[in-house]
Structure formats: C-alpha cells, structure tokens
C-alpha cells in the first residue's frame, strides 16, 4: 500500500449468500460512532460508469476475458474516482468485494487464466496512474509501481450448500447466483487459495455461525488491529 494514501482500505469477500452485507453496515456504523469518515462502496460498481459495467457483467453472457476486462475497467474507474480520493482524505473505505472476487469468480469459478488476472491487477491497481495528474496524462509504468490493495480483506467463509440454502427464495438470482453448486465450490477454493497466498492481509470469518456470533468475530478482528475500540456500550446486531 502506498504511503501517500493514508486512510484504511477494507474489502469484504465470500460466495453469494455468505452474509457480508449486514456486517459491512454494522462496521460503517461502528467507525462513524468513533468519529471516522466512512466511504461505503461495492464492486463491480461504486461509480456511475462502473455501475453500468456491473449491470452488463451480472446480466449478460460473455466470455471470461471480456468479463474480466469489464470488471477491471470498472475497478479502475472506481479506484480513480472514489477509492484513491477517499484514502487520501483519510477515510475508512469499506468495499463490498474487490480483486479477490475476480480471482475467485473469474479465475477459480470460470477457470480463467490467473496469470492474466495478475497482470491486469498490476496495471489497474498501479498507484502511479492514480497519483498522477487528474487528467490521467501521466504514463503508467506497472513494473515499478506500488499496487493498491486492501489493508485487510474480511473473508466470510461458508460452505456452498449452506449459502445456497440461505439464498433460496430470497431474490431473483443473477448470472452468478444461478450457477450450479460446483461453481461455488470452485469459487470457495479460489478464496482459500487467495488467503494462502496473502495470509497477512486476510481475516477468515466462520460464517456458518449465527449472525451475532459472526458479528462478534468480525468486530474482534478490528479491535485486535487497534482500528476500533474494544469496549462497547451498545451492540448493533
Ligand atoms: P454481490 O456482491 O453478491 O452483490 P448483491 O448482494 O447485490 O448480489 O454481487 C456481485 C456479483 O458479482 C457476485 O456474484 C460476484 C460477482 N463478481 C465477480 O464475478 N467478479 C468480481 O470481480 C466481483 C467484484 C464480483
């Protein structure tokens, strides 16, 4: 993570149905209560352009390279317009999914080349282009740049069978949610591989527990890092 970006960047991951949303909202409230400015966002999406790309990615069939390029295009716009400015302001950025989802869904889930994804990650998340002049005229030199990535990734680990049970009947499934269970087994293994490759960045949460227990575990991760105060006078869940 580059020195010039002084906020906190946290991403939340897990297969569909793992239950991250309420805990992201709980953390936003907890940080706000402690006087921190919070930027809440999501991927794909988070800007008007990236939300248009999200609709294409979630609704339309396409080959995995096209899908990855659209997702990384959305990510670039999101980083330039929302995440980097928020981090420079010193905000806590809570992002519902980030690049680990691309490795898990497009890489492990759809079987797309992880080396190509790693190259796109270097290009898109290069801080050089982001800290350059706002018109984007500064050339990117991915080989010498720092890659912007979350300080912490909270992974809600849940068995695909349980996630499917929790999702059943709750909403009309999108392109990914309507995939067979074997797809989500691969995605879950993709997340486990990312954790193995980035153990210092990942916090694994056992999402099989009830919501309150999951919340306590999530909160504890932030308390242990010294990012939230330990004692609470009230709980939100
Ligand atoms: P999700 O974050 O679960 O939002 P919602 O709760 O509104 O359904 O949905 C985003 C979907 O996009 C999810 O199925 C995972 C998928 N996705 C990818 O395939 N690759 C990515 O890089 C990202 C960020 C998401």
């Amino acid at each position: 993570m580059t020195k010039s970006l002084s906020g906190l960047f946290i991403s939340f991951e897990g297969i569909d149905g793992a239950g991250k949303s309420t805990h992201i909202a709980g953390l936003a409230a907890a940080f706000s209560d402690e006087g921190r400015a919070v930027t809440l966002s999501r991927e794909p999406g988070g800007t008007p352009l990236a939300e248009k790309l999200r609709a294409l990615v979630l609704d339309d069939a396409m080959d995995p390279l096209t899908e990855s390029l659209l997702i990384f295009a959305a990510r670039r716009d999101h980083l330039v317009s929302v995440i980097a400015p928020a981090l420079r302001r010193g905000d806590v950025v809570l992002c519902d999914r980030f690049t680990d989802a691309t490795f898990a869904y497009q890489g492990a889930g759809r079987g797309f080349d992880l080396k190509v994804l790693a190259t796109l990650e270097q290009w898109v998340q290069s801080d050089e282009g982001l800290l350059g002049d706002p018109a984007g005229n500064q050339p990117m030199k991915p080989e010498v740049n720092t890659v912007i990535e979350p300080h912490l990734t909270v992974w809600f680990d849940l068995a695909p069978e349980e996630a499917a049970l929790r999702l059943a009947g709750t909403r009309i499934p999108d392109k990914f949610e309507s995939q067979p269970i074997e797809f989500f087994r691969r995605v879950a293994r993709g997340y486990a591989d990312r954790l193995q490759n980035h153990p210092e960045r990942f916090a694994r949460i056992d999402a099989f527990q009830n919501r309150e227990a999951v919340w306590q575990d999530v909160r504890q991760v932030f308390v242990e890092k010294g990012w939230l105060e330990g004692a609470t006078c009230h709980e939100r869940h």
Side-chain angles (χ1 to χ4, degrees):
M1 191 77 200
T2 171
K3 289 189 286 303
S4 331
L5 304 176
S6 59
L8 265 184
F9 180 19
I10 296 141
S11 65
F12 300 86
E13 299 284 358
I15 58 173
D16 293 271
K20 25 182 188 66
S21 312
T22 53
H23 303 297
I24 298 173
L27 283 168
F31 275 110
S32 297
D33 283 354
E34 295 189 10
R36 293 291 304 254
V38 175
T39 292
L40 261 182
S41 202
R42 68 169 182 180
E43 289 218 345
T47 71
L49 172 60
E51 290 290 330
K52 287 186 201 163
L53 296 173
R54 176 188 176 95
L56 295 174
V57 167
L58 295 193
D59 297 342
D60 293 10
M62 58 188 76
D63 89 289
L65 174 57
T66 307
E67 193 168 280
S68 302
L69 290 171
L70 290 179
I71 288 170
F72 271 111
R75 182 160 300 136
R76 179 72 191 168
D77 192 51
H78 191 207
L79 272 167
V80 170
S81 311
V82 173
I83 296 176
L87 292 175
R88 281 197 298 264
R89 286 195 304 271
D91 284 15
V92 177
V93 177
L94 303 178
C95 192
D96 189 344
R97 301 189 184 281
F98 196 63
T99 302
D100 297 304
T102 317
F103 281 85
Y105 279 77
Q106 281 63 50
R110 298 204 61 188
F112 188 60
D113 189 338
L114 298 178
K115 286 201 222 73
V116 174
L117 296 182
T119 302
L120 290 170
E121 179 183 31
Q122 296 287 315
W123 275 67
V124 166
Q125 293 164 228
S126 156
D127 70 351
E128 185 75 17
L130 289 178
L131 299 176
D133 77 73
N137 293 326
Q138 185 167 320
M140 292 206 302
K141 291 173 258 152
E143 67 282 6
V144 295
N145 294 339
T146 306
V147 167
I148 295 180
E149 58 177 17
H151 295 97
L152 171 70
T153 297
V154 182
W155 172 36
F156 294 85
D157 186 15
L158 186 65
E161 293 76 7
E162 175 66 15
L165 279 178
R166 291 186 187 179
L167 270 186
T170 57
R171 55 185 169 189
I172 300 165
D174 64 30
K175 187 175 94 184
F176 294 108
E177 288 163 355
S178 48
Q179 291 294 313
I181 196 130
E182 187 45 44
F183 176 82
F184 289 104
R185 290 202 184 102
R186 291 197 297 276
V187 173
R189 281 198 293 274
Y191 278 126
D193 288 346
R194 288 294 278 178
L195 174 141
Q196 215 166 26
N197 293 333
H198 304 271
E200 70 300 334
R201 175 164 64 81
F202 265 80
R204 177 192 165 275
I205 301 291
D206 175 6
F208 189 71
Q209 310 172 87
N210 66 48
R211 184 182 291 183
E212 177 59 26
V214 171
W215 168 245
Q216 292 304 336
D217 282 1
V218 170
R219 198 172 198 295
Q220 192 55 28
V221 169
F222 287 78
V223 170
E224 276 169 17
K225 291 201 170 279
W227 295 342
L228 282 176
E229 286 164 18
T232 49
C233 34
H234 59 275
E235 282 298 343
R236 296 193 164 263
H237 286 248

